[in-house]
Every structure is written in structure tokens, then in C-alpha cells.
Amino acid sequence: MHVQIEVTTEIEIKQLEDLIKYKELMENLNMKINKSKLGRDLGVDRRTVDRYLSGKDLEKKRVRASKIDPYYEIILDLLSDKTPQTFYYKKVLWQFMKDHHGLECSESSFRRYLSTKPECQAYFSKGQRVPNPHVVVRYETPPGEQAQFDWKENVPYITSDGEKISVNIGVLVLGYSRFRTYGLTLSKSQTVLMSFLTESFEGLGGVPQHLLVDNMKTVMDEHRTKYNRGIVNERFNQFAQDYGFEVKPCIAGRPRTKGKVETIMKLLDEIHAYQGMFTYEELHDFVQKLNTRHNQTFHQGNRKIPLLAYKQEKSHLLPLPRKDLRDSYKVKMSHVKVNPASMITYQSNQYSVPPEYKGKTVQLQTYDDHIHVYHNTELVAVHTISTKVLNYKEAHYIEVLGHEMPSYEDAEELAKKNLMTMDEVYKID
């Protein structure tokens, strides 16, 4: 009988854990181990070699607790189906945890932590985007030459009182500095667009030479294509002439042409992290806070902070037209006084505002079937224009009862009952 035996004649020592096998071999050969030489070869002290050879008190890799671990359950809850909130990007979740749960760590550490948690990584991986197959040519413009505009449109949002609305965010970004302005609105009408641009130009203190837009109906009568220059509609063309800028429509189907404004759109997905948490008025304030934060944050594209770069760009902008011309493009504003019942009057019907504005003068903007109530520059209430005599928001009425009847235990229940009664009394047949 012939048995082939495989004999190992070499042993390779790559790491400290291999020393046990090496010790067995040397003992079988009755040879002495040179611990100092092993230490030099492995880059460790000879005493470390001795511990591994003895098999006692071996060093183990220490698993350190992460400073993010105490937030793990909160993170899981936010990513679960228990909340209406949605986090499209890890960056948004990181910012939310910083703002509302006191998390203190870098964004890169947070992203790395989530990547080690399969249940968290799966949440973000399921919506991974397919890489753009087109070659994108980087294009920069000198100061004051170009601004880009677009809508973050039809964003579904659930308000804190459970109302489902669809909001839009206008975004204007200067090409050189990446300084931007945001505006939350319920409408994308041409009147709203020109009012937003007017207020943005006033805020910037000047006008860019060119405005890059897509083929939206409020700007273009005929789309620009690869073979057609397109036609800007008459009213918007007049608006551009009054302000002195040239309209530059993108070729249809090429959103990457206005990539500077397109990249901002994913940043605005942060509002989904606040689903069910804000009223419309509070959402308006939050969008403005986002605007300020983004303008103060280092931009990876041009390696500048937009706010600081804007100070260099401002002097290159075209001058604003005269005030009366600018005012003609703004949504009309009227002034009314809030009555003792915390209501304002519009077309013989009354609409509520928070009770702290009783006796004060507020400003009304009415467009696209909505009344927007401002106190100075703060949006304090939004109502749909109605044929009802009394139009109370439940939250406002509860506040009013709280002021008038501070000792009443269940103001919310009483408010609902009273509002139902008023609707019945003032119902128009």
C-alpha cells in the first residue's frame, strides 16, 4: 500500500497569532526560539512575542464604544415607518440629529457609523441613484454674469395639524459665488415667480446679466430644443427688459445645463425630515433658516463660502431699476388691523391670526386663492380665500381660549365644539 503524505516544510509568520504554530514546530525540532529576532521582524517588543508564544494574556482588539451608540435607538425610530419623516440623505439625518438631539460628531464619522449598521444602510441604499451616463462638462462664470433659477416643485408636506399640502420652493443661485435665495410658496404662477425674483434681486442688491431657466410655461411660450431657440413669453420678456438681464433657457431634456441650481435641490429634501412637525408658517421660517445655513456653509464645488464670495460678486451685478417699477412686479400688499377677536377682514369675511397680534397692523398678500398675512417680514398666517363669514384656524382659536380662559382644563375640546357650532351658524346656503 502506498500512501502519499504531504509534509509542510515551511511556516510563514505574518502576524503575532502565527507564533503559536511556530512554537509547536520549534519544540518538535527541539530548537530554541530567538524572541528578539522575531520581535524585530514583526516590529514589536520581545515581551509581546513572549506573551503570544506562551498563549497567555494575548492582546485582543479592543472594540471601542462609539459616541453615536447612545443615539442608535433614536436613529432607528426616525428611519422606521413609525414617523412620517423621510431622510433621503445621511447628511440630512446627521443635521437633524445635531439640531434636535444634541449629537456631536463629524458628518463623515456619522456616515461611516451608519454604513456599519446594515439596517441603517439598507434604508439609504434602497433609493440609490443610477449614475448619470452623460459626460458633464464643468462650466464656471465670472462674477455677476449668471444666475440660475428653478423650482423645487410639488413637495408633499403634512403640517403639524395633519393638513396635507403641496408646496414649492423657488431657488435663485448666483453662478460665481453660489449665493442663493429660497422662497416657499403654494403656487408657481407667473405673478409669484416675478415677485420672488424681484424680492431676490432687491435682497442681492443687484441683477445678474443672464438668468438661466428651464422651459417652464411661466417663462417660455415655445420650448428651446436642440434645433429651436425657443420663444420667451411677452410678459416675462418685458420683465427681463425692465431689469436688464437676458433670459437663457436650457435645451429641453438637459437639466444638467443648470447644474448649480440642480445640486441644491437635494439639500432641500431636508424638509421631509420635518414632516408633521411644522405649520405652513413655521415651514416658511424653516426654509429661510436653511437658506441662511447653506449660504454660510463651505461649498465643495468652488471651494468658497457663498456668503463671503457674494461680497466679491455684489459689485459686479447690474443696478436695480427704479422702485416704482420694482413694486409693480410684486404681489400687492395691503394693511389691515387685527380686531379684538384676533381676526382680520378681507372682502367682508374674517380670518384668524395668532392672538399676540391683536390690535396690531399686519400686511396682506392675496394671490392664487390664498391670503398671506405678514407682520413686518414674518409670515404669521395663511388662509384659503373662502365664502365663510368666520374662518378660524383651530390652533389660533385654541390660543385665544387659552388667553381668555386660562383656568379652563380642556381648551382644545371646547375649541373644536365652538368651531363646529360657528360653522353651522354662519353656514351659507
Side-chain angles (χ1 to χ4, degrees):
M1 179 177 68
H2 178 72
V3 179
Q4 184 175 351
I5 300 175
E6 185 176 342
V7 180
T8 301
T9 58
E10 294 183 359
I11 182 169
E12 187 175 11
I13 303 174
K14 293 183 177 180
Q15 54 190 4
L16 288 167
E17 285 77 8
D18 296 332
L19 290 177
I20 289 294
K21 296 178 182 178
Y22 177 69
K23 178 184 177 183
E24 293 175 359
L25 175 64
M26 296 299 281
E27 286 178 346
N28 289 335
L29 295 174
N30 200 25
M31 295 180 65
K32 188 176 180 181
I33 298 174
N34 188 335
K35 298 176 184 178
S36 297
K37 184 177 184 306
L38 284 173
R40 288 193 298 273
D41 292 343
L42 292 172
V44 297
D45 189 272
R46 68 182 304 281
R47 288 169 293 186
T48 302
V49 172
D50 186 55
R51 287 203 305 273
Y52 275 85
L53 286 172
S54 66
K56 298 177 182 179
D57 203 22
L58 298 183
E59 289 186 352
K60 296 182 180 179
K61 290 183 178 179
R62 185 172 57 179
V63 179
R64 294 184 179 180
S66 168
K67 64 170 68 174
I68 308 174
D69 283 340
Y71 302 92
Y72 178 68
E73 294 299 328
I74 298 174
I75 293 170
L76 281 187
D77 190 57
L78 288 171
L79 300 183
S80 72
D81 295 332
K82 297 177 183 178
T83 70
Q85 296 161 263
T86 304
F87 299 86
Y88 287 103
Y89 306 97
K90 294 177 182 177
K91 177 184 178 70
V92 172
L93 179 58
W94 168 74
Q95 189 68 54
F96 187 88
M97 293 297 296
K98 279 187 62 182
D99 292 345
H100 298 277
H101 296 284
L103 175 68
E104 294 183 0
C105 73
S106 66
E107 181 190 345
S108 58
S109 296
F110 186 74
R111 293 169 63 89
R112 189 162 52 248
Y113 178 83
L114 293 183
S115 298
T116 65
K117 306 294 182 183
E119 60 278 18
C120 297
Q121 183 59 36
Y123 178 94
F124 294 98
S125 298
K126 64 185 179 183
Q128 279 186 341
R129 299 181 178 185
V130 178
N132 191 337
H134 301 284
V135 175
V136 178
V137 179
R138 189 181 180 89
Y139 180 68
E140 296 292 343
T141 54
E145 181 175 305
Q146 185 195 89
Q148 299 181 7
F149 172 82
D150 202 1
W151 290 107
K152 177 80 172 177
E153 55 187 342
N154 302 326
V155 180
Y157 188 78
I158 303 172
T159 64
S160 56
D161 54 8
E163 182 183 3
K164 295 181 180 179
I165 59 176
S166 181
V167 300
N168 309 283
I169 304 174
V171 178
L172 180 75
V173 57
L174 293 176
Y176 172 78
S177 63
R178 305 303 202 273
F179 190 86
R180 71 292 301 265
T181 61
Y182 300 159
L184 183 73
T185 176
L186 295 169
S187 167
K188 304 192 302 293
S189 68
Q190 190 178 62
T191 299
V192 170
L193 170 61
M194 293 190 297
S195 181
F196 169 75
L197 290 175
T198 294
E199 292 176 3
S200 294
F201 294 151
E202 288 184 342
L204 294 171
V207 183
Q209 297 173 37
H210 303 112
L211 182 66
L212 200 62
V213 297
D214 63 16
N215 290 275
M216 59 188 75
K217 293 180 180 179
T218 51
V219 175
M220 305 296 294
D221 277 344
E222 189 174 315
H223 287 190
R224 182 192 171 191
T225 67
K226 188 176 180 180
Y227 308 103
N228 186 348
R229 296 182 63 182
I231 300 175
V232 179
N233 72 53
E234 185 177 349
R235 190 178 178 212
F236 196 84
N237 187 56
Q238 184 61 54
F239 173 76
Q241 290 180 21
D242 288 340
Y243 274 88
F245 67 83
E246 183 181 352
V247 181
K248 294 280 190 179
C250 299
I251 296 176
R254 291 190 186 175
R256 61 189 181 277
T257 306
K258 51 181 177 53
K260 295 181 180 70
V261 72
E262 290 289 339
T263 57
I264 294 173
M265 295 305 164
K266 68 178 184 180
L267 299 178
L268 294 174
D269 283 328
E270 186 171 343
I271 68 174
H272 290 289
Y274 294 84
Q275 290 282 357
M277 294 181 64
F278 294 143
T279 63
Y280 177 78
E281 295 82 8
E282 290 168 340
L283 183 62
H284 176 275
D285 293 339
F286 175 70
V287 168
Q288 295 310 306
K289 289 177 182 177
L290 274 184
N291 196 172
T292 300
R293 187 209 301 161
H294 293 165
N295 280 332
Q296 295 175 354
T297 302
F298 181 79
H299 194 283
Q300 294 289 346
N302 63 358
R303 314 293 292 175
K304 294 181 176 72
I305 295 174
L307 181 60
L308 300 181
Y310 157 71
K311 293 181 179 179
Q312 299 174 337
E313 184 167 21
K314 183 177 179 180
S315 62
H316 296 272
L317 296 172
L318 301 173
L320 291 165
R322 63 184 190 275
K323 186 177 185 302
D324 62 325
L325 184 58
R326 302 199 306 267
D327 289 346
S328 69
Y329 285 109
K330 293 181 182 178
V331 174
K332 296 298 182 289
M333 186 86 78
S334 59
H335 295 76
V336 297
K337 191 171 183 178
V338 181
N339 67 24
S342 194
M343 306 281 276
I344 55 97
T345 301
Y346 176 75
Q347 292 183 346
S348 301
N349 296 327
Q350 297 188 55
Y351 299 83
S352 67
V353 298
E356 60 263 34
Y357 297 101
K358 286 181 185 179
K360 295 182 179 179
T361 297
V362 295
Q363 300 82 43
L364 304 187
Q365 284 186 345
T366 54
Y367 57 90
D368 299 326
D369 299 323
H370 285 83
I371 301 171
H372 295 71
V373 185
Y374 290 86
H375 183 254
N376 297 327
T377 58
E378 181 185 1
L379 180 66
V380 299
V382 177
H383 288 272
T384 302
I385 295 175
S386 168
T387 56
K388 290 167 54 179
V389 176
L390 296 178
N391 296 272
Y392 263 112
K393 280 187 175 290
E394 185 177 303
H396 296 165
Y397 193 71
I398 292 172
E399 285 186 62
V400 171
L401 284 179
H403 281 261
E404 300 298 328
M405 306 172 62
S407 61
Y408 196 85
E409 293 183 357
D410 199 346
E412 185 173 345
E413 183 63 32
L414 179 60
K416 290 179 179 178
K417 183 178 179 180
N418 287 355
L419 288 173
M420 289 177 63
T421 302
M422 281 189 282
D423 282 347
E424 189 64 32
V425 171
Y426 291 101
K427 182 170 63 176
I428 298 176
D429 295 327

